[in-house]
Amino acid sequence: VRPPHVSHSREEFTLDPTDRRTLWMGLGQVRDLTRATIETILAGRPFKSFEDFLLRARPLHVEVVNLVKAGALEGLGNAKDLLAVLEQDRWHGRHTAQLSLIPVTLPHTDDAPTLHERAEWEREVLGRLVSVHPLQLIKQQLPTDRIRSNELGAHSGKAITIAGVRVAAHRFRDQSGEYRLLVDMEDEAGMYQVLWSGEVLRQYQGLVSQREPVSIRGKMRIDRQGQVIVAGAEAKQVAE
């Protein structure tokens, strides 16, 4: 999933017609962006520059600020430079054609937003992280011996440490009637599954049922269907 973008997104989530794998978040997910402005954006794109966007899309101040923070104007300038322009005194309210007489000059700095700034902005205007994975924000707190999900195949039968965020969980009974919990997890590299059962499940069920980052110790194995599974043995919450 990619953040919304004025050149690619519709009002709702949109599958990229070129690669058929990228899902663009809808412009309707951007806080305070009105349907009228969304319709103007869709009718007017593509936009050649930030100034071109301001003149033809005519957004309200809060709308364009939130679009910048959402990453929806990527390619039209450095986000911090765009926000600096928007804080100038002459910019207020909805843009009008009169602004065509006043050229927009960007500062052209190399001061790109940090990961934590991007995360703060996305939480503020989209309500969730999109371009930043939660594990990227706590890199220094993660176990030094952890592997990533795309490395699991090289550790068959071995004890491993991995980290991630819960995506979904499936509770079922095995042939003996004992409950097991198969948890779909995600890290920066992709998806993987962790199987919890027995006393270990009873001990860590509350923790692995949350959507907060956790580090997991377990044993990597391949099930009868050839799927990579981590048999969970221990879980710890990792906080920012």
Side-chain angles (χ1 to χ4, degrees):
V1 178
R2 296 285 301 277
H5 197 283
V6 295
S7 295
H8 306 289
S9 300
R10 300 193 65 81
E11 183 173 357
E12 67 283 350
F13 281 78
T14 308
L15 188 65
D16 192 288
T18 302
D19 64 15
R20 307 297 297 176
R21 293 189 301 173
T22 300
L23 185 64
W24 294 96
M25 189 177 235
L27 292 171
Q29 303 296 313
V30 180
R31 196 184 75 183
D32 297 326
L33 187 62
T34 64
R35 176 164 291 180
T37 299
I38 292 175
E39 292 175 352
T40 304
I41 291 171
L42 297 180
R45 67 190 188 188
F47 301 99
K48 298 177 182 179
S49 65
F50 183 51
E51 182 177 16
D52 182 42
F53 173 78
L54 294 179
L55 293 174
R56 295 199 292 116
R58 298 178 60 202
L60 293 168
H61 180 271
V62 66
E63 292 179 309
V64 69
V65 167
N66 287 353
L67 284 168
V68 171
K69 290 182 175 182
L73 297 181
E74 182 179 353
L76 300 183
N78 180 306
K80 284 191 172 182
D81 292 346
L82 302 185
L83 292 175
V85 168
L86 297 176
E87 290 306 312
Q88 295 177 11
D89 291 341
R90 65 177 177 80
W91 201 103
H92 62 86
R94 188 177 292 277
H95 280 272
T96 68
Q98 293 176 344
L99 283 179
S100 62
L101 302 176
I102 311 174
V104 175
T105 303
L106 297 180
H108 295 297
T109 68
D110 295 324
D111 188 16
T114 66
L115 277 176
H116 284 80
E117 285 174 325
R118 283 166 49 201
E120 181 181 353
W121 290 349
E122 289 182 1
R123 285 175 174 141
E124 176 188 348
V125 303
L126 298 175
R128 55 171 288 190
L129 296 180
V130 183
S131 69
V132 180
H133 194 279
L135 294 186
Q136 293 178 284
L137 303 175
I138 54 172
K139 184 177 179 181
Q140 301 302 320
Q141 286 76 42
L142 295 173
T144 56
D145 61 341
R146 72 128 179 170
I147 65 171
R148 290 169 174 78
S149 58
N150 58 354
E151 301 171 313
L152 281 170
H155 294 78
S156 181
K158 298 179 181 178
I160 57 95
T161 300
I162 195 166
V165 178
R166 182 181 74 87
V167 176
H170 317 275
R171 192 166 180 256
F172 64 96
R173 291 180 184 269
D174 60 18
Q175 294 180 345
S176 67
E178 182 179 24
Y179 277 114
R180 295 190 175 204
L181 187 68
L182 185 63
V183 182
D184 296 330
M185 301 288 294
E186 180 188 53
D187 65 5
E188 316 98 301
M191 303 282 293
Y192 63 97
Q193 292 184 308
V194 182
L195 181 63
W196 300 92
S197 61
E199 182 58 35
V200 175
L201 172 59
R202 287 185 282 274
Q203 182 175 357
Y204 296 109
Q205 183 170 1
L207 182 57
V208 301
S209 296
Q210 301 175 12
R211 293 188 181 273
E212 300 298 326
V214 294
S215 66
I216 295 169
R217 297 190 186 277
K219 190 173 184 179
M220 188 288 211
R221 64 180 179 83
I222 299 176
D223 67 13
R224 295 177 182 177
Q225 287 75 41
Q227 299 295 315
V228 172
I229 298 287
V230 176
E234 181 184 4
K236 292 182 180 180
Q237 185 170 349
V238 185
E240 290 188 37

